[in-house]
Amino acid sequence: MLMAGALAGCGGGAKQETNDIKIGGNFELTGGVANYGKQAVNGIQLAIKQANANGGVLGKQLTLVLADNKSEAAEATNAITKLITQDKVVAVLGPATSSNTLAVVQVSQDNKVPIITPTGTNEKITVDNGKTRPFAFRSCFIDPLQGTIMANFASNTLKAKTAAVFIDSSSDYSKGLAQSFETVFAQNGGKVVGKEAFLQKDQDFKSTLTKIKAMNPDVVFLPAYYEEVGKILKQAREMGMNMPFLGTDGWDDSKVVEIAGAAPLNNTFFSSHYSSQDTDPNVVKFIEAYKKEYNQEPSVFSALGYDAGLLLIDAIKRANSTDPVKIREALEQTKNLQLSTGIMTVDANHNPIKSAVVIEMKDGKQMFKEKITPKL
């Protein structure tokens, strides 16, 4: 981790002239989804290292100050409070999950310090009761886009007529995705024949899977995180449930193969933000740099962490200031910014307009299936 230095700014737009610029990182470094947080931080640290090697920003070096939210909403709130009030950061990157980001977003608004979640996809993060939250941003697309993509994929590519939905009822992320999938699948003429739920940390899913099996759906939509996804798929295949399972970016982690095994993941598909098999030169360049730094291929969480870092660095440069309010204004004006996962423009709701991909699992490996570019 880059070592912390002197103060660089504080909430409410006040500034202090120092030799570095402090950026906060509020991430799941331990706990149930620690793999997400750690990988996002790797991407952020690479973006900061590259910027510092090129002379820094505004003539200063960037410093990442990390706080571990332990994969818990209450701890995420404590972490952002510390970063803003004690560490005096100019902006905060993270958390990684939607639930933890929703828990901290009001703190950023109250203190007038922008946050950028690399991977929190719930639409309520940036929009509250129809109003855009002024200091909340993200470098990933939102749940309705993922739900729409997978509903259309089920209807158009897989020709599915019926679907069962299996959600994590303890997750805002899972519930939001299910809602958008159900709406679009119905609009396509499909029928959701049943909806079942589980809780994060559950271990035995067989009784619920028995109910879903009896529904005999063409596909099962499972918007959840890798720990539960791996266990559910392993148990489902053991029960003879061979229909396609569909998911979202919460699946996008190598640990899902360790948990489920390669064979149970065959005939599964999920939406994500980029594919390492994409031949786009910007994707290739990022992967090469990441491999050189960490000696491993970047996951989607690493790529989106890197993008969040680039997004913030670009905004600080354009703001020509470490004032959090001016950084917020620059973030809002981001247009056609080249990132590792594609070209990004921030829309009126502080969400990125960018491409998405559908990935198929084959024998434990991710295979690029389709790329979808949203209509502007």
Side-chain angles (χ1 to χ4, degrees):
M1 188 199 313
L2 297 170
M3 296 302 292
L7 302 183
C10 62
K15 294 184 294 179
Q16 295 184 18
E17 294 301 324
T18 57
N19 294 324
D20 70 347
I21 299 173
K22 275 185 164 181
I23 296 169
N26 179 359
F27 282 101
E28 297 79 348
L29 304 179
T30 58
V33 290
N35 218 35
Y36 294 157
K38 290 175 182 177
Q39 290 176 49
V41 168
N42 281 351
I44 292 165
Q45 288 177 322
L46 178 60
I48 288 175
K49 181 177 181 178
Q50 290 175 340
N52 285 338
N54 289 324
V57 177
L58 309 183
K60 301 178 181 181
Q61 294 286 287
L62 299 168
T63 296
L64 181 63
V65 183
L66 284 174
D68 180 13
N69 64 42
K70 303 176 184 177
S71 301
E72 297 175 7
E75 291 291 343
T77 302
N78 293 337
I80 192 172
T81 301
K82 175 187 177 294
L83 289 168
I84 292 174
T85 62
Q86 296 182 34
D87 298 311
K88 307 295 184 183
V89 299
V90 301
V92 177
L93 300 173
T97 67
S98 291
S99 295
N100 291 339
T101 307
L102 285 166
V104 308
V105 70
Q106 192 58 47
V107 179
S108 78
Q109 310 308 295
D110 292 343
N111 287 275
K112 294 183 168 54
V113 172
I115 63 166
I116 304 172
T117 173
T119 49
T121 52
N122 188 286
E123 58 185 323
K124 293 179 182 178
I125 290 169
T126 54
V127 178
D128 180 32
N129 292 322
K131 293 183 179 180
T132 303
R133 298 185 197 262
F135 287 85
F137 298 84
R138 69 180 107 219
S139 57
C140 56
F141 48 61
I142 59 175
D143 288 345
L145 178 62
Q146 291 201 82
T148 296
I149 286 168
M150 295 316 295
N152 286 335
F153 180 79
S155 300
N156 301 332
T157 302
L158 300 181
K159 308 300 182 186
K161 302 297 183 186
T162 60
V165 176
F166 196 17
I167 68 165
D168 176 354
S169 61
S170 59
S171 165
D172 293 315
Y173 164 83
S174 189
K175 289 184 283 189
L177 284 161
Q179 185 175 7
S180 56
F181 176 90
E182 290 175 55
T183 299
V184 176
F185 190 68
Q187 289 172 351
N188 292 343
K191 182 180 180 181
V192 175
V193 292
K195 187 173 181 179
E196 296 293 335
F198 61 91
L199 293 172
Q200 199 172 31
K201 303 299 182 185
D202 281 353
Q203 301 294 321
D204 187 349
F205 304 90
K206 290 178 181 175
S207 62
T208 313
L209 286 170
T210 299
K211 295 178 185 177
I212 294 173
K213 184 179 181 181
M215 299 170 192
N216 195 29
D218 294 334
V219 296
V220 178
F221 183 55
L222 175 61
Y225 297 127
Y226 64 88
E227 284 265 356
E228 288 74 29
V229 166
K231 293 168 186 173
I232 287 168
L233 286 169
K234 181 177 174 62
Q235 293 174 30
R237 298 314 195 201
E238 287 172 352
M239 295 168 59
M241 297 176 67
N242 298 317
M243 72 283 286
F245 275 69
L246 311 181
T248 48
D249 59 342
W251 289 39
D252 201 345
D253 192 284
S254 59
K255 283 190 176 294
V256 76
V257 182
E258 295 177 23
I259 297 166
L265 283 162
N266 287 338
N267 201 26
T268 68
F269 308 84
F270 63 89
S271 57
S272 196
H273 306 258
Y274 101 121
S275 168
S276 60
Q277 297 171 18
D278 196 329
T279 56
D280 183 300
N282 294 288
V283 176
V284 173
K285 183 180 178 182
F286 161 68
I287 292 172
E288 288 175 351
Y290 191 93
K291 282 182 175 178
K292 184 178 180 182
E293 184 70 19
Y294 297 108
N295 197 31
Q296 59 181 305
E297 192 166 279
S299 73
V300 65
F301 286 84
S302 302
L304 289 170
Y306 182 77
D307 283 359
L310 293 184
L311 175 61
L312 178 56
I313 291 165
D314 174 72
I316 295 171
K317 287 178 180 177
R318 287 187 291 106
N320 196 31
S321 172
T322 57
D323 182 333
V325 174
K326 291 182 179 178
I327 294 170
R328 182 208 77 79
E329 292 169 354
L331 284 168
E332 200 167 53
Q333 295 161 10
T334 301
K335 188 174 182 179
N336 295 327
L337 176 63
Q338 181 65 61
L339 304 175
S340 72
T341 59
I343 295 172
M344 171 180 165
T345 293
V346 173
D347 70 13
N349 291 328
H350 294 181
N351 300 318
I353 302 169
K354 56 193 287 194
S355 299
V357 299
V358 175
I359 292 171
E360 178 178 5
M361 294 300 296
K362 282 188 177 180
D363 301 323
K365 295 181 180 179
Q366 294 189 5
M367 306 298 291
F368 178 76
K369 183 76 174 175
E370 295 181 12
K371 190 168 189 175
I372 299 98
T373 301
K375 297 176 182 178
L376 299 177

